[in-house]
């Protein structure tokens, strides 16, 4: 079914909401269906700014024709995401589907492992599941994130940009990040990313990611739940390289794996990328709806 054939009721604007989780305030991005058949919990990649995913969340809701509620949870620790599920979603009677991007995919799988009775499916988008030894960029990023001096210096430099006039900041962001970025992504960068605490949190999260991802993925769990897992990879992505695609394929035969070559790891920063990935996720969820008899 094409997007032009959707009922207009399926078009809704995602709304931001602050939520207190275990004494920590985080930002949520939500669209609630009137009569939801499932609830999607989306876990973003680093830096965990849900504003970057507004186009994606709205497209996903639209592709699912308004039958599924969607919640994206902003930057918190992994433990607090578990607390969020207990606090916000425990009383939800419909099945929960986890969708993660980049390191969010790793978090989603771990949440899935701990919440098997509540979560029915898990999707990893351009998943960062293991350190890539062939990447030239990752060792550099790792050294920066591990250095408090460099982390503070970079955070201060980027945060200083917020003192520029808004037109000048937008011009710098547009020219440095590319004119192909959507208005949503540019606005999220100007409003959220040029903040000292956002960059510091991002670098701290990066440091912990590199420490955690030295561990081998839990292949046994994936094999036991292969019918409830799916992954999407790009063809030129050092965070989610094709060798990880091959490793998953070898370790977990029969798992749902897909590749695409038209979008980047930062898919949510373009309208085309957001729409493409939302359509991919929606197709998986529709299959789940059919299997569950909805």
């Amino acid at each position: 079914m094409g997007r032009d054939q959707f009922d207009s009721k399926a078009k809704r604007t995602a709304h931001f909401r602050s939520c207190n989780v275990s004494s920590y305030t985080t930002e949520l991005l939500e669209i609630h269906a009137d009569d939801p058949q499932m609830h999607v919990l989306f876990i973003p990649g680093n830096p965990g700014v849900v504003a970057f995913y507004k186009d994606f969340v709205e497209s996903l809701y639209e592709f699912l024709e308004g039958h599924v509620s969607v919640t994206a949870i902003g930057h918190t620790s992994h433990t607090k995401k578990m607390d969020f599920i207990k606090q916000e979603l425990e009383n939800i009677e419909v099945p929960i589907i986890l969708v993660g991007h980049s390191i969010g995919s790793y978090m989603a799988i771990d949440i899935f492992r701990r919440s098997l009775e509540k979560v029915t499916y898990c999707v990893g988008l351009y998943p960062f599941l293991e350190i890539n030894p062939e990447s030239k960029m990752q060792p550099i990023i790792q050294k920066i994130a591990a250095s408090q001096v460099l982390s503070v210096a970079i955070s201060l430099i980027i945060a200083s940009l917020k003192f520029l006039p808004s037109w000048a900041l937008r011009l710098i962001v547009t020219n440095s990040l590319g004119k192909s970025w959507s208005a949503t992504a540019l606005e999220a960068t100007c409003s959220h990313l040029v903040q000292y605490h956002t960059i510091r949190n991002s670098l701290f999260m990066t440091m912990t990611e590199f420490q955690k991802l030295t561990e081998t993925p839990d292949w046994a769990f994936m094999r036991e739940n292969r019918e409830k897992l799916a992954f999407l990879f790009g063809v030129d992505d050092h965070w989610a390289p094709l060798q990880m695609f091959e490793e998953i394929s070898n370790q977990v035969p029969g798992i749902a794996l897909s590749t695409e070559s038209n979008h980047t790891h930062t898919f949510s920063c373009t309208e085309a990328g957001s729409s493409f990935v939302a359509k991919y996720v929606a197709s998986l969820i529709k299959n789940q709806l059919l299997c569950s008899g909805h």
Side-chain angles (χ1 to χ4, degrees):
M1 182 179 289
R3 293 183 73 173
D4 56 338
Q5 294 175 285
F6 283 173
D7 191 306
S8 60
K9 292 180 181 178
K11 296 177 181 287
R12 285 189 181 177
T13 301
H15 296 285
F16 295 98
R17 174 170 71 91
S18 292
C19 177
N20 190 282
V21 181
S22 301
S23 302
Y24 180 92
T25 301
T26 190
E27 188 173 47
L28 305 180
L29 179 64
E30 302 174 309
I31 301 183
H32 290 288
D34 295 329
D35 185 21
Q37 297 174 7
M38 289 186 173
H39 195 117
V40 172
L41 176 61
F42 178 74
I43 304 173
N46 201 344
V49 176
V50 292
F52 280 105
Y53 299 89
K54 189 172 186 291
D55 291 341
F56 167 74
V57 167
E58 292 176 348
S59 294
L60 180 59
Y61 180 85
E62 184 179 342
F63 277 125
L64 290 168
E65 303 175 63
H67 296 310
V68 177
S69 296
V70 185
T71 300
I73 180 172
H75 179 90
T76 66
S77 70
H78 182 49
T79 301
K80 287 183 171 59
K81 284 185 173 66
M82 291 298 299
D83 292 341
F84 171 82
I85 289 180
K86 293 177 182 178
Q87 174 181 306
E88 294 281 310
L89 305 181
E90 194 64 35
N91 295 324
I92 290 178
E93 296 180 357
V94 297
I96 295 173
I97 293 179
L98 294 172
V99 180
H101 172 224
S102 192
I103 189 63
S105 300
Y106 173 88
M107 294 179 180
I109 293 170
D110 195 39
I111 292 172
F112 184 26
R113 184 189 297 109
R114 300 169 188 234
S115 309
L116 280 172
E117 73 289 347
K118 196 70 179 174
V119 178
T120 60
Y121 202 69
C122 181
V123 183
L125 306 172
Y126 310 91
F128 182 27
L129 303 178
E130 197 173 46
I131 293 174
N132 179 6
E134 297 181 14
S135 171
K136 295 180 180 178
M137 284 296 298
Q138 287 188 18
I140 297 172
I141 296 171
Q142 184 176 11
K143 288 179 181 178
I144 293 172
S147 169
Q148 184 173 358
V149 173
L150 289 176
S151 294
V152 169
I154 290 173
S155 299
L156 286 171
I157 291 170
I158 295 176
S160 68
L161 295 175
K162 68 181 179 181
F163 296 109
L164 293 173
S166 58
W167 65 265
L169 175 59
R170 191 174 185 85
L171 181 64
I172 291 172
V173 170
T174 301
N175 289 335
S176 60
L177 298 178
K179 296 180 180 180
S180 64
W181 275 33
S182 65
T184 299
L186 292 174
E187 176 60 30
T189 302
C190 294
S191 61
H192 289 74
L193 213 55
V194 291
Q195 302 287 338
Y196 177 82
H197 69 276
T198 301
I199 303 301
R200 285 285 281 143
N201 285 341
S202 174
L203 290 170
F204 178 78
M205 186 176 178
T206 300
M207 180 184 68
T208 57
E209 287 170 15
F210 280 110
Q211 292 172 348
K212 192 68 176 174
L213 295 185
T214 56
E215 303 172 4
T216 302
D218 190 344
W219 300 122
F221 174 79
M222 291 190 190
R223 282 190 287 269
E224 291 170 5
N225 295 276
R226 74 186 75 201
E227 295 181 355
K228 300 177 182 179
L229 289 162
F231 295 99
L232 174 67
F233 285 80
V235 297
D236 187 18
D237 184 354
H238 74 88
W239 296 111
L242 288 180
Q243 57 259 38
M244 175 54 69
F245 174 96
E246 296 295 339
E247 188 172 1
I248 294 175
S249 180
N250 293 331
Q251 293 282 352
V252 194
I255 196 171
L257 293 172
S258 301
T259 59
E260 63 85 18
S261 58
N262 296 317
H263 306 287
T264 66
H265 191 80
T266 54
F267 73 91
S268 64
C269 293
T270 68
E271 291 182 3
S274 294
S275 179
F276 174 87
V277 176
K279 188 173 184 179
Y280 164 79
V281 175
S283 68
L284 294 171
I285 293 175
K286 285 181 178 181
N287 287 336
Q288 290 299 301
L289 289 171
L290 289 172
C291 292
S292 63
H294 288 283

